[in-house]
Amino acid sequence: MVRDRLLLAADGAGVVARLGGDEFVLLVEERRTEDVVRRVLEELRRPVDLDGLAVRSSGSVGVARPGDGASLAQLLTRADVALYAAKAAGRDTSADFRPDLQAAVADRLGTGVDVRRLLAGEGGVGSLEAHYQPLVELASGRVVGAEALVRWRHPERGLVLPDAFLGAVSAGGLDARLDEAVLREVAADLARWRGQGLEPVPVSVNLSRGSLVDPDLADRVVAVLEHHGIPSGLLHVEVTEHQELPDDDVVAGNLEALVAAGVDVHLDDYGTGYTSMDYLQRFPVAVLKLDRAVTTTVDGGRRPVVAGITAMASTLGLDVLAEGVETVAQRDALLALGIRYGQGWLFGRPEPAADHVRRVLGGGARATGALEVPAPRETPTASPQRA
Ligand code: C2E
Ligand code: MG
Ligand code: MG
């Protein structure tokens, strides 16, 4: 079927061959390249009829041109590199080979290999670290929790942020394993802090799709908490609104079981993804986390949208926490809308466990219960949300 569409797109202008799997090669006259690429993408975009069901599909195209005496084998490798770049650019598009792409692709492939070795516990590729970012009560600056954010301490690349390797983790089907590694680290940190006589604030851990669809998730989480003797109230989990989750009993069952065990569920990145009532109805959510993209516009045009979300959250008895609060103006605008909690550079960046202890848990800040943040311009009216 794909073959027919490709033949149609090539319009007799070249050769169509299947390399294997879902990869095809088209050899066409160079002057016709743009035209054929455009038609290939159009053809592959047409829905496929599966027993009366229109299923949408798309393709990606990598283009390599002869000219510098490259052999056929070299051209195929270059087309493959360009294809990789097209996929990375969001699929349903094409990319032309450029020499600098080769390094970028090697880098990505290297990341994938390293990630696999890392999560298999092999040496030489560094280690994962949980960094902690404070969650605060906006009116007082009091720290009410912390979000654990994963970082990869790489021997050559230094501290690598999640955006640079989570793609490779999920492409390798390893996201549940990464979540588990972070959870274990967080549990070990919490246990150590309690052992030192500190009073840690609850820590939120992000869960990926791979974790949420695992029927054993709740049991695994509870087992880790029990192993370290940690009260379940010290752990919260975040489910992102950006990820489409299957509408079955497994995900909801997992979250119900976690809540029953005393672990709160927070809905992450709200306001830019599906922004639907769907997850709120299906899942036992306690806190709505407004995406940073919403927070940055709260003192501008998006104000009515945020007011609407806040009203809905309040009706549902949910707390609202705004992510990415960077300025006092944003903080004040959030307070004026009745939003109680926030997280962002205004209050503190994600930092290694030792710094979290020093700045948030130990000594000064914890003793007064507040980070040093400018006082709000006005006292907010009490909101009906529960603490
Ligand atoms: P997220 O869960 O929405 O985490 C918040 C992100 O916003 C973090 O990025 C944090 O560093 C950043 N951030 C916080 N305050 C500010 C601010 O004021 N300004 C700006 N510009 N950024 C701010 P980070 O650490 O790079 O993490 C990115 C994403 O990676 C996270 O988004 C989360 O979806 C994912 N992630 C991080 N750690 C884990 C993990 O352990 N497991 C899973 N499954 N995903 C994780
Ligand atoms: Mg999060
Ligand atoms: Mg978020």
Side-chain angles (χ1 to χ4, degrees), residues 33-93:
T33 309
E34 273 74 34
D35 197 29
V36 172
V37 166
R38 183 179 46 77
R39 286 217 305 270
V40 164
L41 290 173
E42 275 169 14
E43 280 299 321
L44 295 179
R45 227 173 271 145
R46 277 199 294 125
V48 182
D49 182 68
L50 290 181
D51 284 337
L53 196 71
V55 177
R56 277 199 287 174
S57 65
S58 67
S60 305
V61 181
V63 181
R65 297 164 199 270
D68 61 356
S71 67
L72 184 62
Q74 278 169 327
L75 277 178
L76 280 174
T77 305
R78 290 180 186 181
D80 211 28
V81 166
L83 174 65
Y84 207 90
K87 286 184 177 172
R91 298 168 192 268
D92 190 23
T93 185

Side-chain angles (χ1 to χ4, degrees), residues 109-309:
L109 293 177
T111 301
V113 172
D114 279 6
V115 155
R116 204 152 304 160
R117 290 174 52 195
L118 175 76
L119 289 169
E122 290 177 30
V125 283
S127 56
L128 292 177
E129 282 177 19
H131 283 204
Y132 296 89
Q133 184 179 32
L135 312 179
V136 306
E137 185 181 52
L138 291 171
S140 61
R142 186 171 61 93
V143 179
V144 294
E147 177 170 8
L149 294 159
V150 70
R151 271 88 180 100
W152 179 5
R153 180 92 45 197
H154 192 280
E156 283 123 39
R157 295 159 67 186
L159 199 65
V160 187
L161 294 176
D163 283 348
F165 65 95
L166 286 187
V169 170
S170 79
L174 296 167
D175 49 7
R177 228 194 269 183
L178 174 114
D179 291 351
E180 170 114 16
V182 173
L183 176 69
R184 285 179 186 281
E185 165 128 1
V186 165
D189 283 346
L190 284 169
R192 196 176 60 252
W193 297 335
R194 278 160 54 85
Q196 292 165 350
L198 298 167
E199 281 178 46
V201 287
V203 174
S204 303
V205 169
N206 292 280
L207 292 182
S208 58
R209 190 179 195 278
S211 292
L212 292 162
V213 299
D214 170 9
D216 294 331
L217 171 72
D219 288 346
R220 285 197 289 113
V221 171
V222 170
V224 171
L225 291 177
E226 280 174 358
H227 176 75
H228 290 279
I230 292 162
S232 53
L234 279 183
L235 181 73
H236 301 159
V237 293
E238 294 191 3
V239 176
T240 175
E241 233 240 333
H242 282 163
Q243 222 156 23
E244 199 179 346
L245 294 167
D247 188 6
D248 60 20
D249 293 341
V250 177
V251 179
N254 271 329
L255 297 175
E256 299 285 355
L258 284 171
V259 170
V263 176
D264 272 2
V265 174
H266 298 185
L267 189 57
D268 205 358
D269 310 319
Y270 197 79
T272 56
Y274 300 98
T275 314
S276 66
M277 292 294 292
D278 191 36
Y279 285 9
L280 291 174
Q281 277 167 341
R282 273 159 58 193
F283 306 142
V285 174
V287 174
L288 208 63
K289 297 189 74 177
L290 283 185
D291 195 275
R292 185 168 70 87
V294 177
T295 301
T296 49
T297 57
V298 75
D299 44 353
R302 292 288 287 275
R303 196 177 177 283
V305 178
V306 185
I309 294 177

